[in-house]
Amino acid sequence: MRQAWRWFGPNDPVSLDDIRQAGASDVVTALHDIPIGDVWSVPAITERQALIEGGDGGKSALRWSVVESVAVHDHIKRGADGWQAYAENFAQTLRHLGQCGIHTVCYNFMPVIDWTRTDLRFDLPNGAKALRFDADEFAMFDLYLLKRDGAPGEYDSSATARAKAKFDEFPQSRRDRLCETIMAGLPGGMSGSHGIEEFRSALAAYQDISDDELRQNLYNFLDYVLPVAEQAGVNLAIHPDDPPCRLLGMPRVVCTADDVAGLFQRLPSPANGLTLCAGTFGAHVDNDLPAMAKQFGSRIHFTHLRGTRRDVDNPLSFIEAEHLDSDIDMIAVIRNLLAEEKARYTQGKAHEIIMRPDHGHLMLDDLRKEKINPGYSAIGRLKGLAEIRGVLRTLAALE
Ligand code: DNO
């Protein structure tokens, strides 16, 4: 397995030198400055590549091996007039990436909001801070802050009562922070930030789109881009919807193992692959992560090996737990991914799966830093990567 690290580019407070010290060999990044829907030109890609791979006189080598993510334009997700032009731009970006030797591209098909949390500094008993998704706080936002038209019909009476209790309990400052956390977009989010009116109208545009329609729009998009990806030597790796449940009345199509199985059945192209984001899938009670690692083995090109722990009294709420200590049997996931690599190797195929740690806890010195990207501070991810590296080494030694 190749050990990678997400980097947000030259303005990331965690530098390429830090990544070298973490012991990662591969970098996961994107050209975040290019507007969603525009083509990434070859010079723009090679310039970033030179920065990462330039060698810098005797320093450990790094390789930009995964793009996370090329964003899918909203027109494509809605199947709106002119979506094909955006699909063509996406395809052109894939051609350029393939030409530059970057062969793995993560993307997602989440409408309006990318990954979503309600608390970016949830206190853990050990003094570190974690990201958290609290379903009641989210419902409170939907019902009492956003006041979305369809919302009251979508929560049962006990969920509504819990949301109301939160609303009453939260001072204005916490309500404001919740709005910002949900609407401003998190690092690496592919949908940008919204003001409340803009947010309402972006959501309204999905009001009449069912899960089946969104799924069909995903298939139409992939019908368009997969042949290009194959030709360009690029594997696409869809990232699941995070969290894997219905939000704000919008359709969702990549939440469970069944969703993923359906996608591969409908579009068997070898370029049609998966980002096995253990933490995201693990937040859904139906998903068995070790089984998914086995079931989708040959399609897994990229993996986020983080863990989530669901609340006992509400399985829709969760915290980002320790990488090895969560609801997920991470050792079994890794064992199955290593078995997949071995099978590929035996078949003479490119065999290495790229992994990265994800959403580390905010801890130690990072707690005192002014500028951190939530989930992407250095030390928590360093801890996650080091723990996973220990598992990789141990399982290899036991072979
Ligand atoms: C959060 C990430 C997401 C993910 C994109 C994938 O940390 O897992 O931002 O990168 O949604 O396209």
Side-chain angles (χ1 to χ4, degrees):
M1 211 173 291
R2 296 188 68 85
Q3 296 168 28
W5 187 277
R6 192 178 199 177
W7 184 59
F8 291 114
N11 295 327
D12 191 328
V14 183
S15 68
L16 291 171
D17 276 347
D18 296 338
I19 296 173
R20 291 187 170 92
Q21 289 181 35
S25 54
D26 291 61
V27 169
V28 173
T29 195
L31 301 181
H32 294 281
D33 294 341
I34 297 185
I36 293 175
D38 284 10
V39 175
W40 298 12
S41 70
V42 169
I45 297 166
T46 50
E47 191 189 331
R48 185 57 54 89
Q49 213 167 16
L51 204 63
I52 297 167
E53 302 183 359
D56 233 355
K59 290 185 175 174
S60 341
L62 289 173
R63 182 163 103 193
W64 179 9
S65 46
V66 180
V67 170
E68 181 176 354
S69 309
V70 178
V72 176
H73 194 275
D74 196 58
H75 269 56
I76 297 174
K77 294 180 196 161
R78 287 192 285 114
D81 280 352
W83 71 267
Q84 291 90 342
Y86 288 110
E88 178 50 35
N89 285 359
F90 191 102
Q92 190 61 21
T93 295
L94 297 183
R95 289 187 195 99
H96 290 164
L97 288 166
Q99 209 176 312
C100 296
I102 299 172
H103 301 296
T104 308
V105 171
C106 172
Y107 71 103
N108 72 72
F109 218 71
M110 290 179 249
V112 185
I113 38 178
D114 201 290
W115 65 295
T116 301
R117 298 291 180 270
T118 54
D119 191 348
L120 307 180
R121 285 173 175 253
F122 178 78
D123 288 315
L124 295 170
N126 66 5
K129 292 178 194 292
L131 305 182
R132 171 167 169 79
F133 180 82
D134 184 301
D136 294 339
E137 289 179 22
F138 196 81
M140 160 195 151
F141 163 77
D142 194 7
L143 288 164
Y144 302 111
L145 299 173
L146 181 64
K147 302 191 178 108
R148 184 174 57 86
D149 281 346
E154 290 169 24
Y155 298 94
D156 64 25
S157 56
S158 95
T160 305
R162 292 195 308 271
K164 179 70 172 52
K166 288 269 182 198
F167 179 71
D168 292 340
E169 171 198 327
F170 273 29
Q172 192 58 43
S173 58
R174 262 189 95 182
R175 293 177 188 166
D176 291 346
R177 195 164 71 226
L178 182 65
C179 284
E180 199 191 325
T181 302
I182 294 171
M183 293 191 307
L186 292 171
M190 292 293 144
S191 350
S193 78
H194 304 83
I196 198 148
E197 281 314 322
E198 191 197 342
F199 193 62
R200 284 198 185 103
S201 66
L203 293 174
Y206 280 88
Q207 205 174 297
D208 298 323
I209 301 181
S210 65
D211 284 354
D212 281 347
E213 282 162 327
L214 184 68
R215 190 173 294 112
Q216 189 55 49
N217 294 345
L218 169 62
Y219 295 165
N220 293 343
F221 164 65
L222 287 173
D223 270 332
Y224 193 103
V225 296
L226 282 170
V228 177
E230 277 181 47
Q231 226 175 8
V234 169
N235 285 319
L236 289 176
I238 196 163
H239 186 284
D241 303 335
D242 183 3
C245 61
R246 184 168 287 279
L247 293 183
L248 305 173
M250 282 184 296
R252 288 293 230 189
V253 293
V254 196
C255 296
T256 62
D258 284 350
D259 291 336
V260 178
L263 172 66
F264 296 144
Q265 202 177 358
R266 166 67 172 72
L267 294 158
S269 155
N272 188 15
L274 179 67
T275 296
L276 187 76
C277 181
T280 301
F281 281 122
H284 194 298
V285 280
D286 290 348
N287 291 329
D288 172 344
L289 263 296
M292 288 176 79
K294 210 183 249 176
Q295 181 182 357
F296 302 121
S298 63
R299 301 273 176 183
I300 298 171
H301 304 302
F302 181 40
T303 181
H304 296 168
L305 293 178
R306 73 173 158 92
T308 36
R309 190 180 289 288
R310 294 182 302 271
D311 288 11
V312 180
D313 55 356
N314 186 352
L316 293 175
S317 299
F318 60 86
I319 60 156
E320 306 248 15
E322 301 282 352
H323 280 64
L324 298 186
D325 194 11
S326 71
D327 289 335
I328 299 159
D329 183 348
M330 196 60 84
I331 312 289
V333 171
I334 296 174
R335 189 184 285 121
N336 291 348
L337 292 175
L338 290 176
E340 168 60 27
E341 284 190 325
K342 200 165 167 196
R344 292 182 193 177
Y345 184 77
T346 317
Q347 294 158 18
K349 295 183 183 157
H351 66 283
E352 284 180 308
I353 295 172
I354 301 156
M355 64 73 56
R356 69 169 179 84
D358 199 8
H359 304 176
H361 290 161
L362 187 62
M363 59 191 291
L364 305 180
D365 265 9
D366 283 344
L367 284 164
R368 290 175 281 276
K369 286 185 186 154
E370 226 163 83
K371 193 172 170 236
I372 55 109
N373 281 316
Y376 290 95
S377 49
I379 302 172
R381 283 187 294 161
L382 174 69
K383 181 183 179 202
L385 179 58
E387 290 177 348
I388 286 165
R389 182 179 301 131
V391 174
L392 290 170
R393 286 287 176 86
T394 306
L395 291 177
L398 291 174
E399 262 296 289

